[in-house]
Amino acid sequence: MSQGAVADFGLIGLAVMGQNLILNAADHGFTVCAYNRTVSKVEHFLNNEAKGKSIVGATSIEDFIKKLKRPRKIMLLVKAGKPVDYIINDLLPHLEKGDIIIDGGNSHFPDTNRRYEELSAKGILFVGSGVSGGEDGARYGPSLMPGGAEEAWPHIKEIFQSIAAKSDGEPCCDWVGPAGAGHYVKMVHNGIEYGDMQLICEAYDIMKRIGRFTDKEISEVFATWNKGVLDSFLIEITRDILAYDDVDGKPLVEKILDTAGQKGTGKWTAINALDLGMPVTLIGEAVFARCLSALKKERVLASKHLTGPEIPEDAVKDKKQFVDDLEQALYASKIISYAQGFMLIGEAAKTYGWKLNNPAIALMWRGGCIIRSVFLGEITKAYRENPDLENLLLHRFFADAVIKAQQGWRKTVGLATTYGVPTPTFSTALAFYDGYRSARLPANLLQAQRDYFGAHTFRVLPEEASETLPVDKDIHINWTGHGGNVSSTTYDA
Ligand code: NBP
């Protein structure tokens, strides 16, 4: 192993992500120092994958620090949670003011906020960076979403933008914003990923159960869709998964237990949406769909007791029209999901006092990551035209697309409902669309109910104001004649 401060960049954590990111950085001309808690993995890495590349190894934290050029740039790619704190604590006694620690794991943004505060107080520049793209992305170009101490950005910009994926020649990496903003944006990215995946699964289920398509036929539909507006990584892998046969010549996917796992980032997004009061319904439904899938035993039992409509063999008369409608349903629902995701990001910026860069966020997701798609190019364009766009659905391109798609979308949701095929994300997207475009919703009645049983008060429509119903005043009515006239300030229902 070489001596002295030779490395431009240090990386701790030699599991799948860390090793591949180091190789990627070395390919781009940077000298990287590698370290891992289980030190034997360093030696193994140097003698195998890293052989012949500009990669050095360290046998201890002290040795690691000595090998880094100042200011030290140290990236952690270890299991999220306590391990990140343990390593930071091990590093701290050896660092100087101005050194940079980057957490590239899937950390929850409140943890990143806390680490940012604690390390800022010690003069250490802390960056929380979303990294997406899995093993392949880390090796050949991930999407990188860094946020935190902005003074760190000029020092890491070159390496980050060199190793990141490129979309039309532009790096899918830019500065996101302060404190935990990078990990926040990665969290929403993962939430959107949950939504995209569930939408695709519903499309597959509709084709299978109502259209009676074989897996090969469904694969062909996805192949066609991948050449149009839905062109994306997830559609592409779905095409390949459905075409993949087991050794007996039968589709492997049909042998997989229908119980979805989850690591929590979708749930974090849904919880945060509830905390911020944002109707991010599609991600919420996608998380709940995984929860319902996990109740396999109960579902099998229920399937024997709870009946639904029969699906006749000829439920689909015009297969081409059926597939076209489904494509429109998927496209429109996806637009709703991204509009909801950006609504959440916008609200987070306001609530947490972050200045976020929407066009850069869309560009970061355009390539390298799991939700990469041609469609994100349109979102980047929309936010570049108007970075303060109130809502993606109010941009002409997306408004026109949804309006045009709605006929097929409504037919698809109607068909699924008629034949009892569950479409939680298609349906919630449509309900959101209809709610969002309604100048008047039935919340007037809801306010009346709240006032009736809890004296929660209501406001009147300006055009209906009168002497007894004054405008801009909280009004309580004695609805029954025997209640009191005191309004409530405490009980919320
Ligand atoms: P893992 O999440 O499997 O973590 C393994 C690494 O963490 C090993 O280097 C291990 O060291 C280290 N580690 C653990 Br476990 N506990 C430690 C501790 N107490 N102190 C020091 N090191 C500790 O690795 P990964 O799949 O490469 O993911 C790395 C990060 O990137 C995670 O946060 C993950 O969520 C995120 N991420 C992963 C992907 C993906 O596709 N895998 C994609 C995007 C982001 P050891 O060798 O000594 O056990």
Side-chain angles (χ1 to χ4, degrees):
M1 292 180 193
S2 45
Q3 297 298 309
V6 291
D8 305 303
F9 193 67
L11 196 143
I12 302 182
L14 293 185
V16 60
M17 294 299 283
Q19 288 200 15
N20 282 296
L21 212 77
I22 292 173
L23 295 170
N24 181 354
D27 283 353
H28 283 89
F30 299 95
T31 300
V32 190
C33 182
Y35 179 66
N36 193 66
R37 175 183 62 170
T38 308
V39 182
S40 57
K41 288 189 190 167
V42 179
E43 202 60 43
H44 186 269
F45 180 55
L46 291 180
N47 292 331
N48 292 280
E49 296 86 347
K51 210 175 177 115
K53 295 188 181 279
S54 54
I55 299 168
V56 295
T59 50
S60 65
I61 288 274
E62 292 82 351
D63 184 33
F64 177 71
I65 297 288
K66 270 191 218 145
K67 286 177 174 155
L68 300 178
K69 292 183 194 164
R70 291 180 167 86
R72 300 178 181 97
K73 295 166 274 294
I74 301 168
M75 184 151 180
L76 316 181
L77 269 165
V78 298
K79 201 173 157 70
K82 290 236 159 62
V84 177
D85 291 312
Y86 295 150
I87 296 182
I88 291 174
N89 286 337
D90 288 349
L91 285 168
L92 271 178
H94 309 283
L95 297 181
E96 290 164 6
K97 285 194 172 161
D99 282 344
I100 299 162
I101 300 180
I102 306 150
D103 172 18
N106 265 341
S107 294
H108 197 192
F109 78 95
D111 286 337
T112 307
N113 284 339
R114 169 180 58 77
R115 290 172 186 139
Y116 166 76
E117 292 297 334
E118 289 169 1
L119 291 169
S120 295
K122 294 182 166 64
I124 305 297
L125 306 180
F126 185 65
V127 174
S129 179
V131 177
S132 179
E135 181 177 353
D136 232 43
R139 181 68 184 89
Y140 300 107
S143 160
L144 296 171
M145 304 156 233
E150 197 163 358
E151 308 92 287
W153 184 228
H155 298 287
I156 61 170
K157 184 175 175 178
E158 191 193 346
I159 183 163
F160 264 50
Q161 294 197 332
S162 304
I163 63 174
K166 308 288 178 301
S167 167
D168 297 327
E170 289 187 87
C172 296
C173 169
D174 206 342
W175 189 250
V176 177
H183 276 140
Y184 184 87
V185 164
K186 172 67 182 355
M187 175 190 80
V188 177
H189 161 284
N190 282 27
I192 289 178
E193 180 182 309
Y194 272 57
D196 279 359
M197 291 168 78
Q198 176 63 25
L199 285 169
I200 290 172
C201 290
E202 288 172 22
Y204 149 79
D205 206 21
I206 290 174
M207 282 188 265
K208 199 167 178 62
R209 287 162 74 175
I210 303 179
R212 294 177 188 256
F213 287 22
T214 64
D215 286 47
K216 294 286 170 300
E217 287 170 328
I218 302 174
S219 171
E220 280 157 26
V221 172
F222 281 109
T224 308
W225 288 354
N226 203 41
K227 294 183 188 121
V229 290
L230 293 172
D231 180 350
S232 61
F233 172 71
L234 284 169
I235 295 279
E236 184 185 315
I237 65 163
T238 307
R239 172 200 69 194
D240 296 346
I241 289 167
L242 287 159
Y244 190 96
D245 287 336
D246 194 8
V247 283
D248 60 3
K250 292 185 182 151
L252 178 65
V253 71
E254 300 307 331
K255 299 183 178 184
I256 297 177
L257 180 69
D258 52 324
T259 294
Q262 49 182 319
K263 283 195 172 167
T265 41
K267 182 181 81 176
W268 292 345
T269 314
I271 290 174
N272 181 255
L274 290 171
D275 283 343
L276 300 191
M278 278 291 110
V280 185
T281 60
L282 197 140
I283 295 174
E285 285 293 350
V287 175
F288 286 132
R290 291 196 190 193
C291 299
L292 182 60
S293 81
L295 304 178
K296 173 78 176 175
K297 247 190 182 166
E298 221 174 303
R299 288 189 290 111
V300 171
L301 179 69
S303 71
K304 299 189 174 89
H305 296 281
L306 306 174
T307 59
E310 286 291 320
I311 306 177
E313 254 180 63
D314 63 346
V316 172
K317 307 270 186 305
D318 180 344
K319 285 200 172 187
K320 184 179 178 316
Q321 189 61 51
F322 166 74
V323 168
D324 287 349
D325 290 344
L326 196 52
E327 183 182 20
Q328 294 306 305
L330 190 45
Y331 184 43
S333 303
K334 201 171 146 116
I335 292 173
I336 298 296
S337 183
Y338 284 68
Q340 292 183 344
F342 276 97
M343 283 166 74
L344 183 60
I345 288 173
E347 191 59 25
K350 276 191 223 152
T351 307
Y352 307 132
W354 295 339
K355 175 133 186 50
L356 300 180
N357 184 349
N358 280 337
I361 293 168
L363 181 66
M364 279 181 258
W365 295 349
R366 168 74 186 85
C369 62
I370 305 299
I371 62 171
R372 61 183 180 263
S373 64
V374 165
F375 166 81
L376 271 156
E378 296 298 340
I379 300 183
T380 310
K381 233 193 271 171
Y383 277 117
R384 277 190 175 155
E385 264 172 49
N386 178 8
D388 301 318
L389 186 64
E390 176 101 23
N391 191 300
L392 216 47
L393 288 171
L394 299 177
H395 185 271
R396 205 60 262 158
F397 176 86
F398 293 102
D400 286 347
V402 173
I403 291 167
K404 197 166 146 239
Q406 72 177 304
Q407 198 192 359
W409 190 12
R410 289 183 193 284
K411 274 164 68 187
T412 300
V413 170
L415 194 71
T417 309
T418 303
Y419 291 123
V421 174
T423 53
T425 51
F426 279 142
S427 306
T428 198
L430 187 53
F432 175 87
Y433 176 68
D434 286 333
Y436 188 68
R437 64 179 192 84
S438 293
R440 184 142 171 92
L441 285 170
N444 52 328
L445 174 58
L446 200 134
Q447 285 297 83
Q449 291 167 335
R450 293 178 71 238
D451 190 55
Y452 187 112
F453 67 70
H456 291 302
T457 75
F458 58 84
R459 297 244 170 154
V460 283
L461 291 164
E463 63 273 24
E464 297 297 340
S466 64
E467 223 170 90
T468 49
L469 296 175
V471 76
D472 292 339
K473 287 251 155 52
D474 295 325
I475 300 165
H476 169 55
I477 292 287
N478 186 346
W479 295 89
T480 57
H482 49 73
N485 289 317
V486 182
S487 56
S488 161
T489 55
T490 50
Y491 171 61
D492 189 23

